[in-house]
Amino acid sequence: MTINDLRFIKNMLRIKSSFKRGLLLCSVFCLLSFFSFAQVSSSIDSTSIKIGEQITYEIQVETDTTNLVVFPEGQTFTPLEMIASYAIDTVKNKDKFSLIKKYGLTQFDSGAYTIPRQKIIVGDKTFFTDSLKVEVNNIIVDTTKQGLYDIKPMIDVKKRGSDWWKYLLITLLVLGIIAAALWWFIWRQKPLTEDEKIALLPPYDRAKLALQKLDESHYLEHEQLKDYYSELTLIIRKYLDEKVYDHSLESTTDELISKLRLLKDGNQIDLSAETIKNIESILRRADLVKFAKSAPDVALAELDRKTIDSEIDHVKEVLPEPTEEEKLLDEQYREEQERKKKRKKVWITVGVIVFLLAALITGFSITKGFSYVKDTIIGHESKELLEGEWVTSQYGVPPVTITTPRVLKRMQPPIPEEAKQQVDMTMFGYGSLLEGFHVYVITTKIKNLGDNKIELEKIAEQSIKMIEQQGVENMLVKNDKFATPNGAEGLKVHGSGDFPTLVEGKKQRGEYTILLFNAENVFQQIAITSEEDDTYADKIVERIINSIELKTEEE
């Protein structure tokens, strides 16, 4: 490892350490801020019910006719359970609306419960109702009048499994169909066609079979002499091309006869002069029929057919027996042809598979998007985090309940010596500022706060300054009020900037979100950073933020 590498690692550790220290130092700037809430009238028709009995929870809002009112929906009344949400009653009074929203609530366990305050949005403002207490009483049973029965026996209930086996079965079925189709159409040994059977015959047998088929034709009956002589001469030329002279098919009559005589004179083939003369005579007559429209007698045509049959036999008789080397070459040729056929089948199979994969990828790209398909095949760290098994846990005291893609590990906060007597800090986190995605949960308790107050706005300013000191540049900053799903209010600081990376000198555009909360002498922070234009990371951040719940020490 070089000196430059050591310096680089040292700088990165200094950045990470100073970032954590910055989060601590900004927590020491503490002034308590008070929020004033507008009162929204709410009521219940009874403060004492029996187990399972319904009470009616009513929210009444008076507002201008131009304002949009959003009432709470879903199970926001926990620990009571909402069993009915009634339509909104609207009463117009001049330029104002009186909106009444009712809910049916119940509880199936006895005890004293508190209906939490409910969040109502009127225009661009947020209001909260008062919390209400409800007593849920047991039902008293008079055993002298009500008979008692034995407890019913336990019933085994089969656990419903997941549907993974269905997808596996469908996948295996599709793969089986594709494999069967490839075997049937490509790899199966198909019955030979008539032409393929003829092609496998020796040249002599093919020539004899071709003469038989010529006899079965009706050329002579219809005096189609041109077609007849074309077939006849093609038979003798093919045989000579394979056994005597390999250019017989494309040679003219003069060239072919000259080559046969040359082979005879060179003692390469023992053809008789009469055989060469007979072949020459028939070939020339065929040329006259084909090109000069000559019309010999049918009897002469039949005689020429017999002559060709006889001369094929003569040629076969004078041909030398193939040597062992020639037989080996023929065997190698057949093996090479088999290899070519096999390679062709392999290429066709690969082509079909590639086509099916391309079609599958195209289909998913159209329905899911190309980026999703690419990230699924190649892999994407944020996508794996998003689709992995998330963990819900509580961190710090008072606890911060949060759901994250990984368990947050306890970290040792770098508290300066001069601050250890004034603060108690717990810190849990995953990742780091340099790694693209990270999340921290920090709880700071201020000792001997006295009359001082925690001001979240000042802490937000200090947080941004400390982040800039870690090398983040070109920061865009936005401040918004924020409320958790269970009603805890705080400050949301978010924006973007050029973040440092593990590569020295390289910046990565990223986004950050810092949530700040305070209660008496406790200050809580949730910090999240991610890369910009990462849709998976955006969903991760959104899911984390929506899962945050805070509890006070009294709760």
Side-chain angles (χ1 to χ4, degrees):
M1 182 177 292
T2 63
I3 295 177
N4 290 332
D5 292 336
L6 294 173
R7 289 176 178 173
F8 171 66
I9 295 173
K10 183 178 180 181
N11 290 335
M12 293 300 101
L13 293 175
R14 188 187 306 116
I15 290 174
K16 185 173 180 181
S17 176
S18 58
F19 174 69
K20 295 177 181 177
R21 186 179 295 109
L23 291 175
L24 165 71
L25 292 177
C26 69
S27 68
V28 179
F29 289 86
C30 45
L31 293 172
L32 186 61
S33 61
F34 296 92
F35 296 93
S36 61
F37 301 98
Q39 182 70 34
V40 176
S41 80
S42 63
S43 63
I44 52 178
D45 61 350
S46 177
T47 59
S48 179
I49 62 172
K50 296 179 180 179
I51 290 177
E53 187 178 354
Q54 178 178 321
I55 62 172
T56 301
Y57 182 96
E58 180 181 298
I59 301 175
Q60 184 171 353
V61 177
E62 290 189 3
T63 181
D64 295 336
T65 58
T66 58
N67 283 337
L68 175 66
V69 179
V70 180
F71 288 95
E73 291 295 340
Q75 299 296 339
T76 63
F77 300 93
T78 307
L80 269 69
E81 179 180 347
M82 186 188 75
I83 57 177
S85 177
Y86 302 103
I88 300 173
D89 292 333
T90 305
V91 178
K92 186 173 182 181
N93 183 11
K94 295 182 181 180
D95 59 342
K96 293 184 178 296
F97 275 134
S98 179
L99 305 178
I100 301 174
K101 175 70 174 178
K102 295 182 179 180
Y103 302 88
L105 309 178
T106 191
Q107 173 57 254
F108 297 97
D109 288 325
S110 61
Y113 298 95
T114 299
I115 302 176
R117 56 181 187 162
Q118 300 298 306
K119 178 180 178 182
I120 299 95
I121 300 175
V122 181
D124 58 353
K125 296 182 178 180
T126 302
F127 299 89
F128 290 87
T129 66
D130 290 334
S131 59
L132 300 174
K133 292 187 177 296
V134 177
E135 187 81 20
V136 181
N137 301 309
N138 283 319
I139 299 175
I140 300 176
V141 179
D142 188 351
T143 57
T144 62
K145 297 180 180 180
Q146 176 66 46
L148 300 178
Y149 303 93
D150 292 335
I151 299 174
K152 292 184 178 181
M154 296 180 62
I155 300 175
D156 291 334
V157 179
K158 293 183 178 180
K159 182 180 179 181
R160 183 183 176 185
S162 62
D163 294 334
W164 65 267
W165 62 271
K166 295 182 180 178
Y167 298 104
L168 177 61
L169 185 61
I170 293 173
T171 302
L172 293 176
L173 181 61
V174 172
L175 292 177
I177 292 174
I178 294 173
L182 290 174
W183 175 83
W184 180 263
F185 291 106
I186 298 176
W187 292 95
R188 178 175 60 95
Q189 293 294 334
K190 306 178 186 67
L192 296 177
T193 63
E194 188 67 22
D195 291 339
E196 290 175 336
K197 290 179 180 179
I198 294 174
L200 292 175
L201 295 174
Y204 176 80
D205 294 334
R206 287 203 304 272
K208 289 293 185 176
L209 182 60
L211 288 174
Q212 291 179 13
K213 290 184 176 293
L214 183 62
D215 292 338
E216 296 170 359
S217 69
H218 301 285
Y219 292 141
L220 295 181
E221 294 178 11
H222 299 90
E223 295 185 356
Q224 296 176 343
L225 296 175
K226 181 178 180 180
D227 294 333
Y228 184 83
Y229 272 98
S230 295
E231 291 289 339
L232 183 61
T233 55
L234 182 61
I235 292 171
I236 186 62
R237 280 179 176 272
K238 280 186 176 179
Y239 183 66
L240 294 175
D241 187 84
E242 292 185 90
K243 304 302 294 183
V244 179
Y245 175 49
D246 57 1
H247 292 288
S248 298
L249 287 173
E250 63 267 24
S251 299
T252 63
T253 299
D254 289 339
E255 292 172 345
L256 178 55
I257 298 303
S258 297
K259 184 63 178 180
L260 293 178
R261 287 174 178 162
L262 184 62
L263 292 173
K264 173 179 170 54
D265 294 341
N267 294 323
Q268 296 184 27
I269 187 171
D270 190 17
L271 284 174
S272 65
E274 183 179 359
T275 296
I276 296 175
K277 182 179 179 181
N278 289 338
I279 294 174
E280 179 183 7
S281 176
I282 294 172
L283 291 178
R284 293 192 184 281
R285 190 162 24 254
D287 290 341
L288 291 174
V289 172
K290 290 187 290 183
F291 303 114
K293 297 183 179 181
S294 175
D297 295 335
V298 173
L300 181 58
E302 293 177 346
L303 179 60
D304 288 341
R305 184 263 180 226
K306 293 179 180 179
T307 303
I308 290 297
D309 190 6
S310 177
E311 297 307 333
I312 289 174
D313 292 336
H314 293 159
V315 173
K316 181 177 182 297
E317 292 173 358
V318 300
L319 289 175
E321 290 293 328
T323 63
E324 291 298 325
E325 184 178 354
E326 291 174 339
K327 291 180 180 179
L328 180 61
L329 290 175
D330 290 341
E331 182 65 25
Q332 291 176 349
Y333 174 78
R334 284 193 294 270
E335 290 177 357
E336 180 63 25
Q337 292 301 111
E338 289 297 326
R339 284 194 292 270
K340 287 182 179 179
K341 289 182 181 179
K342 188 174 181 179
R343 282 197 298 267
K344 183 179 179 181
K345 291 180 179 180
V346 170
W347 281 112
I348 293 175
T349 303
V350 172
V352 170
I353 294 174
V354 170
F355 171 78
L356 292 176
L357 287 175
L360 184 64
I361 292 173
T362 302
F364 275 106
S365 298
I366 294 174
T367 56
K368 297 285 189 178
F370 178 74
S371 297
Y372 178 86
V373 176
K374 179 191 67 175
D375 296 337
T376 301
I377 296 175
I378 300 176
H380 193 287
E381 182 178 359
S382 298
K383 183 174 182 294
E384 294 173 0
L385 286 175
L386 178 63
E387 297 179 352
E389 185 175 353
W390 285 50
V391 179
T392 301
S393 187
Q394 295 181 338
Y395 303 93
V397 178
V400 176
T401 303
I402 188 172
T403 302
T404 55
R406 295 287 187 272
V407 175
L408 305 186
K409 297 181 179 180
R410 179 182 290 272
M411 298 181 175
Q412 185 65 35
I415 305 175
E417 290 295 332
E418 60 273 14
K420 287 185 178 180
Q421 301 299 323
Q422 287 78 29
V423 298
D424 285 333
M425 177 183 285
T426 58
M427 182 175 180
F428 301 85
Y430 168 80
S432 73
L433 184 68
L434 304 176
E435 296 174 2
F437 174 80
H438 91 282
V439 54
Y440 284 113
V441 177
I442 304 173
T443 302
T444 304
K445 187 173 184 180
I446 310 298
K447 301 177 181 178
N448 303 321
L449 186 61
D451 295 332
N452 295 323
K453 298 180 180 179
I454 300 174
E455 288 189 2
L456 297 183
E457 290 78 6
K458 290 188 176 181
I459 295 176
E461 293 177 3
Q462 293 299 321
S463 298
I464 296 302
K465 290 180 181 179
M466 297 309 300
I467 292 176
E468 289 177 336
Q469 292 179 8
Q470 315 315 311
V472 181
E473 301 175 350
N474 303 321
M475 292 189 66
L476 299 177
V477 182
K478 297 179 182 179
N479 290 356
D480 295 312
K481 291 184 178 180
F482 179 79
T484 65
N486 68 334
E489 288 199 332
L491 182 64
K492 178 180 180 181
V493 184
H494 60 105
S496 60
D498 295 329
F499 284 72
T501 65
L502 293 173
V503 180
E504 187 175 7
K506 182 180 178 181
K507 298 286 186 177
Q508 170 69 46
R509 194 67 183 173
E511 298 177 345
Y512 67 92
T513 300
I514 302 175
L515 303 179
L516 307 172
F517 303 91
N518 68 302
E520 297 183 357
N521 63 334
V522 176
F523 165 48
Q524 296 164 306
Q525 307 172 72
I526 297 96
I528 310 171
T529 64
S530 62
E531 294 182 1
E532 195 174 54
D533 299 327
D534 186 342
T535 56
Y536 306 110
D538 293 340
K539 294 179 180 178
I540 292 174
V541 173
E542 181 181 5
R543 184 172 173 181
I544 291 175
I545 292 176
N546 291 336
S547 71
I548 297 173
E549 293 185 2
L550 272 66
K551 293 185 179 180
T552 62
E553 291 183 347
E554 289 76 7
E555 293 178 324

